[in-house]
Amino acid sequence: MSRRNNFAVALLAVASTVAVVAQPAPQRTLLRAGHLLDVKTGKLLDGQTIVVVGDMIQAITPTSGVAAQAGDTVIDLSGMTVMPGLIDVHTHLTMNPDFDPYRELTSTSAKEAINGVVNARTTLMAGFTSVRNVGARGFVDVDLRDAINAGQVAGPHMLVSGPLIGITGGHCDENLLPIQYHVAGDGVADGIAEVQHRVRENIKYGADLIKICATGGVLSKGDDPQASQFTLEEMQAIVADAHRLGRKVAAHAHGAQGILWATEAGVDSIEHGSYINDEAIAEMKKRGTYLVPTLYLEDWMLEKGNLPPFYHQKMIDVSAVAKGNIKHAMQSGVKIALGTDAAVYPHGLNAHELDVYVNQLGMAPLAALQTATVNAADLMGWSAKTGSLEAGKWADIIAVDKNPLEDVRVLQDVKFVMKAGVVYKGQGIGNRE
Ligand SMILES: [Zn+2]
């Protein structure tokens, strides 16, 4: 008998052994929710029970209809408002807020991996059960994502970009040192052939999406946030390769021309969008491109930031116009997904972005919650997995003391966090670990 046949016989033996062993019923967790918020409609349902099996929601039914059975874990959230875990589509979990130029230059991939372990937990504990990480050195984000998925460290579900792709001397390059040091950012690429190579290389080493710099930025030396960086043709080449290989593209863009070109090139989201104008708004609406404003960072930075002069003036200039322009884009009907740029300010403050949307820009509270749930899930391509509480989706569930539609600030103090069926914060912690 060949070795292959031996193997097949062995497999059959295992299969028949398994077949005669009685399977225990899968363990259930019953979440008794006092109030359950449907983020799609804004409806608040009282007295609901979420039945969780493994990492999934099995059913959501009125509490009176589902009694606990032997072996069930019951978690009492009867005094709370329960809703889907939040999503942040613009994080840098491997980075910390420290803009001393010398310290920036002394960072290493090892330090950043350690940052990532700490910040992933902090972000999850703040109620963010999924993030899109848009820029990390040396594919540290790929390893962080994989460590979270393997259960080695606590953190949100992640989609990661690997290194930022950008032009020589641009926002995504490293411009702090003179030429004799020959230092360049990991993802620098100029011209069609080079950008194609970088996209393919990032995918080779584990990127789930592609992040590019379409314009200059604030926290980089010697470039102008309003100036376009990649050409339209370079961005078209990037998007063509990324989409053909099944990856979405996020474009950092402040200046109006860069926002328009990136949108015309077919990127899936515009990050920041500070100088967005009517022409760019019209093109984004036509194509369904998401805008990911990152506005709370301006409040934090102007109050507490300690920036070197070549960053500070740009922060003042951008902050002077961004909120007004973003408010206009929101009112014009551009699709919005919540992103924060956490790393520019301390991780875990992500929900402050919602406060800016509602209490500074006048967005309706339900629309604001949707930016951090259904819209963010849509942008990530994860609508079937998360973004709302429904049977068949991940059991990514948070609870707060009162209805966030009455006060979104309550989301800055999340009391209960479950991700993929495991409780990380609040009652029932450790029920499956
Ligand atoms: Zn960023």
Side-chain angles (χ1 to χ4, degrees), residues 305-322:
N306 184 20
L307 296 176
F310 46 84
Y311 297 165
H312 186 68
Q313 187 58 47
K314 293 198 282 185
M315 182 61 70
I316 289 175
D317 294 345
V318 167
S319 300
V321 300

Side-chain angles (χ1 to χ4, degrees), residues 157-217:
H157 302 284
M158 292 182 77
L159 289 182
V160 306
S161 71
L164 305 147
I165 302 179
I167 67 166
T168 294
H171 177 61
C172 298
D173 197 357
E174 177 55 82
N175 306 325
L176 290 168
L177 289 170
I179 190 167
Q180 64 265 32
Y181 293 96
H182 302 289
V183 171
D186 289 343
V188 168
D190 301 301
I192 305 293
E194 284 191 18
V195 298
Q196 287 174 327
H197 176 69
R198 285 296 187 206
V199 168
R200 295 168 192 181
E201 188 174 64
N202 278 10
I203 292 171
K204 170 180 175 178
Y205 292 115
D208 301 303
L209 74 143
I210 300 299
K211 167 78 181 297
I212 65 171
C213 288
T215 73

